[in-house]
Amino acid sequence: MIGNLKPLEILLIIAVIVLLFGAKKLPEMARSLGKSARILKSEAKAMKNENAADAAARTADPAPQQAAPRTIKAAPGDVTGSRPVAEPNHTAQG
């Protein structure tokens, strides 16, 4: 439908947009749209680089690192301190 617009129809649509939003508001809206597009582009690039770095890290270090034991931190005023959390054993029983 958009590909079937004639030049006169496009001018009419532009005139209606200018009347609705005003000539002063349109440049501000265009700047806002441009900033949003730049932010979206930079975030997409960052995600792509992050995924590539994660994949490189997985292939470079085949041995998984041992995670530190999880602990429960003491509440303010608790004199017993932190204590380890019992992790459930994930062994296959068959």
Side-chain angles (χ1 to χ4, degrees), residues 16-81:
V16 170
I17 290 173
V18 169
L19 288 174
L20 285 175
F21 295 107
K24 292 183 180 181
K25 192 75 170 172
L26 288 177
E28 194 176 305
M29 291 171 53
R31 273 192 292 278
S32 175
L33 184 63
K35 283 182 183 179
S36 299
R38 280 193 299 274
I39 290 170
L40 179 65
K41 185 178 179 181
S42 67
E43 290 296 324
K45 186 183 284 188
M47 286 177 59
K48 185 178 179 182
N49 290 341
E50 185 177 296
N51 287 341
D54 287 345
R58 276 182 269 155
T59 57
D61 188 16
Q65 295 179 351
Q66 190 72 352
R70 293 177 37 193
T71 59
I72 298 174
K73 294 188 178 185
D78 187 6
V79 294
T80 60

